[in-house]
Amino acid sequence: MQCVELNPAGNFDPWEQEKIDELLHQEITQSLSDRLVFENESVKLWELCLLPGERIPFRRHNTNYGWVCTTGGLVLTRYGNGKIDMIKLDSGDTEYFENRGKNYVNDLENIGEESVVINILEYKETRMDKRLQFSN
């Protein structure tokens, strides 16, 4: 995976007005994709498939999750703080994020010529997590 920062945090000047309006005025969902493949008491498994030119709207991340890209591709992501990154993904690239309680916001747009498929494993808050929160 290779990442290039196209715009720094705090600078919304190069943003399209429609993306700013979406970020500020539309309800931002907390689901990590539109396709839930599996769910039990501990995890949710999502599949994210973006065709060339397709974009998933801004999402709010409040849970820990890991992902694996099964296809590779070229994507653009805009963050709620103004930052914009272009990311080249290779098949098999993985990442893990600890976002519980952080209200992390971003979108994802396929700017490449092939479909991008990402499988996301979201970890639900467990009873142990709740006990640790109360003990702090």
Side-chain angles (χ1 to χ4, degrees):
M1 178 171 65
Q2 299 171 341
C3 182
V4 176
E5 182 178 292
L6 300 179
N7 187 63
N11 180 17
F12 287 88
D13 292 343
W15 279 51
E16 299 164 341
Q17 187 61 46
E18 69 182 39
K19 302 293 189 303
I20 294 173
D21 291 344
E22 178 185 332
L23 185 62
L24 296 176
H25 303 296
Q26 293 185 14
E27 184 175 333
I28 298 176
T29 184
Q30 292 190 29
S31 66
L32 298 179
S33 173
D34 294 331
R35 184 165 187 266
L36 182 62
V37 177
F38 172 81
E39 180 176 11
N40 67 19
E41 63 281 347
S42 302
V43 297
K44 291 181 182 179
L45 177 61
W46 301 91
E47 180 182 67
L48 175 60
C49 181
L50 294 175
L51 301 174
E54 193 172 17
R55 175 180 168 266
I56 191 168
F58 289 103
R59 305 290 166 134
R60 184 174 316 280
H61 306 281
N62 287 314
T63 58
N64 298 340
Y65 66 92
W67 58 259
V68 60
C69 183
T70 62
T71 59
L74 189 62
V75 296
L76 187 75
T77 185
R78 298 165 194 86
Y79 302 91
N81 64 6
K83 182 179 176 183
I84 301 173
D85 284 338
M86 181 172 57
I87 304 168
K88 181 185 178 295
L89 298 164
D90 293 316
S91 179
D93 280 347
T94 62
E95 192 77 45
Y96 174 76
F97 295 97
E98 293 193 6
N99 290 319
R100 191 166 320 282
K102 292 185 180 177
N103 283 321
Y104 170 80
V105 173
N106 77 311
D107 72 347
L108 193 65
E109 182 176 355
N110 182 353
I111 60 171
E113 297 178 2
E114 302 292 330
S115 294
V116 174
V117 178
I118 300 173
N119 294 320
I120 307 163
L121 187 62
E122 177 183 6
Y123 300 92
K124 292 182 174 183
E125 186 173 32
T126 64
R127 282 189 220 125
M128 179 59 81
D129 292 335
K130 290 177 185 176
R131 278 187 249 144
L132 290 173
Q133 287 175 356
F134 291 122
S135 67
N136 292 334

